[in-house]
Amino acid sequence: MPETGDGEGPDYAEQIAANADVQKGAWQRTIEDMRAMEEELEADGWNVVAIAAGHTAPTNPDAGASDRWGFVHVIPDNDADAFEEVVETGTFPKYRVFRNEMQGRIFIVTQLLDPESETAILLAGNFEMRHAPGLVKNALKEDEMYTHVQTLDKTHLGSFRHDDVTKFFPEPHKYAGYDVPFDGVLDDEDANSE
């Protein structure tokens, strides 16, 4: 086995394993947070569908065969029917975004809300930030963001337009790789409000 250093620190494989454990813990906390949100909304009388995506990809128009861009959440087939049922009943004009960044990975819960029917969709996902600059640049250019939901076989289940990029990326110019600072005013409350 090749030597990995002077023996004072963990080797590369141990670092990878430690990072995986940290990220697994962060994902578990994200799902727990989503479940707590679900319980709170249900206690207030809302019909809620909460889904942890099997995969979330930040996509941009240059990244693939589809013209859809934004976050693509791939959900399990066994959640597809419940998702489609609530999408048919509401318009979901409001949304909230809750996010945590850890070791180059973003953990996110998006609440899609239809106050008129008191129906909510909660989507949990995570992705590596290094895959997001193209999406952030496109979102800044278009001044909007999208959330798309599909199954593993690429069956499109629904799409949602969002008018505030900063709810997903609080300092979008930083995430897009621009040196120009973001000139808007944003505090933590704004990032998580309607």
Side-chain angles (χ1 to χ4, degrees), residues 19-104:
N19 287 345
D21 287 343
V22 168
Q23 290 181 359
K24 183 177 177 183
W27 178 235
Q28 187 59 43
R29 284 188 301 280
T30 302
I31 293 171
E32 290 168 3
D33 289 347
M34 180 186 68
R35 294 297 175 206
M37 292 174 200
E38 177 184 24
E39 289 176 13
E40 186 177 319
L41 285 164
E42 287 177 339
D44 288 339
W46 287 65
N47 175 34
V48 183
V49 171
I51 302 171
H55 179 72
T56 297
T59 61
N60 67 75
D62 300 327
S66 173
D67 60 350
R68 288 195 306 260
W69 60 272
F71 287 109
V72 177
H73 296 280
V74 178
I75 67 170
D77 287 341
N78 58 342
D79 289 323
D81 288 342
F83 177 85
E84 287 183 302
E85 283 177 28
V86 296
V87 167
E88 290 174 6
T89 65
T91 58
F92 303 93
K94 295 190 178 285
Y95 63 99
R96 294 180 182 147
V97 177
F98 302 86
R99 63 188 300 281
N100 186 24
E101 188 170 344
M102 182 177 293
Q103 296 180 342

Side-chain angles (χ1 to χ4, degrees), residues 14 16 34 39 48 60 71 104-105 107 120 143 145 152 162:
E14 289 172 344
I16 297 270
M34 180 186 68
E39 289 176 13
V48 183
N60 67 75
F71 287 109
R105 186 168 282 275
F107 298 86
D143 197 28
M145 178 73 82
L152 186 58
H162 313 294

Side-chain angles (χ1 to χ4, degrees), residues 117-168:
S117 67
E118 292 191 325
T119 303
I121 299 170
L122 308 181
L123 292 169
N126 72 88
F127 59 94
E128 288 185 72
M129 192 54 231
R130 67 187 176 105
H131 297 301
L135 166 60
V136 179
K137 288 176 185 176
N138 197 69
L140 287 171
K141 177 181 153 194
E142 300 295 333
D143 197 28
E144 62 186 1
M145 178 73 82
Y146 288 89
T147 295
H148 306 285
V149 178
Q150 68 182 41
T151 55
L152 186 58
D153 68 1
K154 299 187 180 182
T155 300
H156 180 250
L157 302 175
S159 293
F160 308 88
R161 181 188 172 278
H162 313 294
D163 59 3
D164 188 353
V165 176
T166 63
K167 287 187 179 185
F168 296 89

